[in-house]
């Protein structure tokens, strides 16, 4: 064989050889970019959820690789409880300014003022109430897909989730009524009022996320690194002392070295004791931990065995 046919065969063999030597992270990255492009191609009005947390930071880098030098084919969306860590909100705004992309913020505070959310007390966790604000924002902007950074290793309810996870006209998730995803083929069709939640990094683990952050040299909020913070020991976790969380009778505030494995509402997100300051040290810690990040750090997931699944059925992320 000679001429153009020989050249084409040589290129094919080189590409095949390259694909056989992709690293674990390259395989995950390739799958995630494919999913993001599938959303852009099949959905009319998607949005990407960006909170400033590590998973959404990775999603943004994947979106850059999927669509740059063009602008993202969707806006970024954050549901702000009003009880987020200020370091994370500052990082969110900094990253948005760097990217030059559009950010839509749905506010739980606005939902409270409108009477859509009623709190038992001012210091009550607003985490569960995000579902109302999220569904209202989806309806207001007519989003037919919301791209999120959830992963199957986080929690058992998340492990049931499809990559393209169908939500009905009430925004609810029915784990028994999900679509098959054979051979990476996705059914994205929805009727008016219905929408999809899409999870491009569903097959990643917490360790994969940190290794990718190291590989891509991504910026992260400072509270992911070990630092001194005043905390109280409550139940099986540590709670950061803030204007919302104060020591109760019999509790004592301690100033210790901690870091956050996940970030969310200040009233229910617990740090873990740690001396890991660098990303490499965080990777080493993550590689030997035996408790999932939500199991170790989210008090709202510890109220019952089905806490997450019940919230997801009501429209949670």
């Amino acid at each position: 064989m000679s001429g153009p046919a020989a050249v084409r065969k040589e290129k094919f063999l080189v590409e095949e050889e390259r694909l056989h030597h992709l690293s674990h992270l390259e395989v995950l990255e390739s799958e995630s970019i494919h999913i993001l492009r599938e959303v852009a191609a099949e959905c009319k009005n998607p949005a990407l959820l960006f909170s400033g947390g590590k998973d959404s930071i990775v999603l943004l880098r994947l979106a850059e690789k999927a669509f740059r030098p063009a602008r993202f084919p969707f806006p970024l969306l954050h549901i702000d409880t009003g009880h987020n860590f200020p370091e994370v909100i500052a990082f969110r705004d900094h990253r948005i300014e760097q990217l030059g992309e559009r950010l839509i913020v749905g506010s739980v505070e606005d939902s409270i003022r409108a009477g859509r959310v009623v709190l038992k007390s001012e210091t009550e966790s607003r985490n569960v109430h995000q579902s109302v604000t999220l569904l209202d924002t989806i309806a207001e902007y007519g989003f037919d897909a919301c791209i999120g950074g959830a992963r199957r290793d986080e929690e058992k309810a998340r492990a049931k989730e499809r990559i393209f996870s169908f939500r009905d006209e009430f925004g609810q998730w029915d784990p028994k009524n999900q679509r098959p995803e054979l051979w990476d083929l996705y059914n994205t069709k929805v009727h008016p009022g219905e929408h999809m939640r899409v999870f491009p990094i569903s097959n990643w683990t917490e360790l994969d996320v940190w290794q990718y952050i190291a590989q891509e040299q991504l910026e992260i909020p400072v509270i992911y690194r070990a630092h001194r913070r005043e905390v109280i020991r409550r139940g099986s976790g540590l709670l950061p002392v803030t204007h919302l969380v104060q020591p109760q009778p019999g509790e004592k505030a301690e100033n210790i070295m901690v870091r956050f494995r996940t970030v969310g509402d200040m009233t229910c997100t617990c740090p873990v004791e740690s001396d890991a300051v660098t990303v490499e040290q965080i990777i080493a810690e993550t590689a030997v931990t035996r408790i999932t990040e939500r199991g170790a750090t989210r008090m709202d997931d510890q109220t019952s065995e089905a806490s997450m699944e019940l919230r997801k059925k009501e429209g949670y992320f």
Side-chain angles (χ1 to χ4, degrees), residues 131 134-136 138-139 143-146 161 164-179 188-197 311-316:
S131 300
L134 174 62
L135 293 177
D136 286 350
I138 289 171
F143 294 130
D144 61 349
C146 282
E161 197 101 55
F164 278 75
S165 184
F166 175 73
R167 296 296 193 273
D168 65 19
E169 63 271 27
F170 302 106
Q172 296 175 322
W173 174 63
D174 180 359
K176 296 180 179 179
N177 185 28
Q178 295 296 308
R179 299 167 178 182
T188 64
K189 303 302 181 185
V190 293
H191 292 113
E194 301 170 344
H195 69 278
M196 289 285 182
R197 304 286 173 84
R311 291 204 306 278
K312 287 178 71 62
K313 287 181 177 180
E314 294 173 355
Y316 191 73

